[in-house]
């Protein structure tokens, strides 16, 4: 019996044989075509590189037309086209060119082992400012994060506007899509890059290929969970009572209770004016107090009296005398007496030997 794991694994370095005219000698039955629009700022570039696009697609017997009036690109099959998948690759080529991918990279889509993926990220985040921040996080400082992702996945990645265009092998495209979607969900790409680096090292070991890698991969937990904001005014439920609440007093009831109801119009106005004047007087008083704060001198720090250094110190006369004696013995620039004697004795010995 054959082991199933051996049947499922693809041997290293295996490639599917290329599709030739011998595989489909009679060609295609119907004509197929695809068209895509491109933005105005891509017009000048497409105009320059369009002869190269036509030459690259002509090798696969696919026609390409550029309509600058409508702002569209169209690809169609011909009677000579034998590869049925060539038109799909041509469609992907014009889509990548419309999404600001340079022709040198986009033309690689015509190869058999290269695929593309255009990820729409514009609708994944609500706020525009948040979207721009997360898109910038995908690029990294001076494009370093994007470059690291390209090296790990062997894919070319282009971030433009509301889309991310990726070009490369199928396995790499799967990883790129995961990283891009996680970044838009507020998961930093550095975590996914670390995981990809570990996977890359593990894939080099032939023994670990058939084993599970879960124990080697890092598990990141969210540490800074936002606490739920509590409302300023908390509505506390009152105890249930079957009786309805008492009816609030009307303005007339309040005036009757205070006795204002029986006052005349002139007396009412006078009372109102007195209340207004009292409020104005309080406001003036507060304003004056605030102005006077500027004229209040600050509290000075208490002056600390410095203690006079005691001039009376015990002078060691004997030590000074000893220093003077030592100084007299030594002459400035001259050697000590003992050294001079030794030097003279050494010179005399040399003369005798000679």
């Amino acid at each position: 019996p054959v082991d199933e794991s051996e049947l499922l694994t693809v041997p290293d370095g295996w490639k599917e044989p290329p599709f030739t005219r011998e595989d489909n000698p009679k060609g295609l039955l119907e004509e197929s075509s695809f068209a895509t629009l491109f933005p105005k700022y891509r017009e000048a570039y497409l105009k320059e590189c369009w002869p190269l696009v036509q030459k690259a697609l002509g090798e696969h017997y696919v026609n390409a037309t550029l309509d600058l009036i409508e702002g569209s690109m169209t690809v169609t099959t011909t009677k000579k086209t034998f590869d049925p998948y060539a038109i799909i690759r041509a469609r992907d080529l014009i889509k990548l060119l419309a999404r600001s991918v340079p022709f040198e990279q986009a033309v690689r889509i015509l190869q058999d082992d290269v695929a593309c993926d255009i990820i729409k990220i514009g609708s994944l985040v609500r706020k525009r400012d948040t979207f721009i921040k997360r898109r910038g996080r995908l690029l990294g400082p001076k494009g370093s994060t994007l470059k690291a992702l390209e090296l790990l996945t062997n894919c070319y990645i282009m971030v433009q506007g509301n889309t991310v265009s990726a070009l490369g092998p199928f396995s790499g495209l799967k990883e790129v899509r995961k990283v891009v979607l996680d970044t838009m969900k507020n998961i930093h790409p550095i975590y996914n890059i670390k995981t990809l680096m570990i996977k890359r090292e593990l894939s080099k070991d032939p023994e670990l290929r058939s084993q599970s890698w879960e124990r080697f991969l890092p598990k990141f937990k969210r540490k800074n969970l936002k606490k739920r904001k509590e409302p300023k005014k908390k509505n506390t439920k009152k105890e249930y009572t079957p009786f309805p609440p008492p009816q609030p007093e009307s303005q007339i009831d309040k005036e009757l209770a205070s006795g204002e109801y029986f006052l005349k119009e002139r007396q009412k106005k006078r009372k109102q004016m007195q209340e207004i004047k009292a409020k104005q007087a309080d406001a003036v008083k507060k304003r004056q107090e605030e102005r006077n704060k500027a004229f209040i001198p600050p509290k000075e720090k208490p002056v600390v009296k410095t203690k006079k250094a005691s001039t009376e110190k015990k002078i060691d006369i004997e030590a000074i005398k000893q220093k003077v004696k030592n100084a007299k013995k030594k002459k400035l620039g001259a050697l000590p007496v003992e050294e001079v004697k030794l030097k003279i004795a050494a010179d005399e010995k040399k003369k005798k030997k000679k």
Side-chain angles (χ1 to χ4, degrees), residues 142-167:
K142 296 180 182 178
S144 57
T145 308
L146 197 69
K147 189 69 183 172
L149 202 60
E150 284 181 349
L151 291 168
L152 288 166
T153 56
N154 297 323
C155 292
Y156 172 81
I157 305 164
M158 182 74 184
V159 181
Q160 175 69 22
N162 295 333
T163 57
V164 177
S165 306
L167 189 78

Side-chain angles (χ1 to χ4, degrees), residues 133 135-148 188-190 193:
K133 278 182 186 177
R135 188 179 63 182
R137 199 181 289 167
L138 188 65
L139 293 166
K142 296 180 182 178
S144 57
T145 308
L146 197 69
K147 189 69 183 172
H188 203 281
I190 196 68
I193 286 168

Side-chain angles (χ1 to χ4, degrees), residues 45-210:
Y45 180 78
L46 291 170
K47 210 173 179 180
E48 284 180 19
C49 72
W50 198 249
L52 297 169
V53 175
Q54 286 179 323
K55 188 183 176 183
L57 292 173
E59 292 173 5
H60 297 270
Y61 304 102
V62 177
N63 285 336
T65 53
L66 177 68
D67 192 347
L68 296 172
I69 297 163
E70 286 185 7
S72 66
M73 293 179 281
T74 313
V75 286
T76 52
T77 55
T78 58
K79 289 180 180 179
K80 290 183 180 180
T81 310
F82 61 88
D83 186 0
Y85 202 70
I87 188 66
I88 303 297
R89 295 194 181 281
R91 178 201 66 182
D92 291 341
L93 173 64
I94 58 172
K95 272 189 180 180
L96 290 168
L97 289 169
R99 292 313 312 144
S100 298
V101 176
F103 171 75
E104 290 79 10
Q105 292 290 341
V107 78
R108 286 171 53 212
I109 194 68
L110 299 174
Q111 298 171 15
D112 285 340
D113 57 342
V114 178
C116 75
D117 189 10
I118 295 169
I119 307 153
K120 293 179 181 179
I121 56 172
S123 59
L124 297 175
V125 185
R126 286 183 183 178
K127 291 182 181 178
R128 184 70 184 169
D129 295 339
T130 313
F131 168 72
I132 291 162
K133 278 182 186 177
R134 289 181 188 175
R135 188 179 63 182
R137 199 181 289 167
L138 188 65
L139 293 166
K142 296 180 182 178
S144 57
T145 308
L146 197 69
K147 189 69 183 172
L149 202 60
E150 284 181 349
L151 291 168
L152 288 166
T153 56
N154 297 323
C155 292
Y156 172 81
I157 305 164
M158 182 74 184
V159 181
Q160 175 69 22
N162 295 333
T163 57
V164 177
S165 306
L167 189 78
F170 289 100
S171 58
L173 292 174
K174 190 180 175 182
E175 296 293 345
V176 169
R177 177 170 273 274
K178 185 182 178 298
V179 173
V180 169
L181 294 177
D182 282 354
T183 307
M184 288 294 130
K185 289 174 187 173
N186 203 20
I187 298 167
H188 203 281
I190 196 68
Y191 300 123
N192 286 311
I193 286 168
K194 280 184 180 179
T195 309
L196 287 170
M197 286 170 76
I198 293 162
K199 281 182 179 177
R200 192 180 186 181
E201 292 300 318
L202 291 169
S203 62
K204 291 176 183 177
D205 193 346
E207 292 179 5
L208 293 168
R209 280 189 180 181
S210 57

Side-chain angles (χ1 to χ4, degrees), residues 339-350:
E339 285 184 19
V340 170
K341 285 178 180 179
L342 290 167
K343 201 173 186 183
I344 291 163
D347 290 338
E348 284 176 359
K349 280 182 183 179
K350 281 180 184 178

Side-chain angles (χ1 to χ4, degrees), residues 3 12 36 43 78 114 140 165 195 203 248 272 304-305 331 338:
D3 190 9
D12 293 334
T36 185
E43 189 177 312
T78 58
V114 178
S165 306
T195 309
S203 62
Q272 284 176 358
V304 181
K305 290 182 180 180
K331 290 181 181 179
E338 292 174 0

Side-chain angles (χ1 to χ4, degrees), residues 230-236:
E230 293 182 357
K232 288 181 179 178
K233 293 179 181 178
K234 290 183 180 179
N235 297 326
T236 53

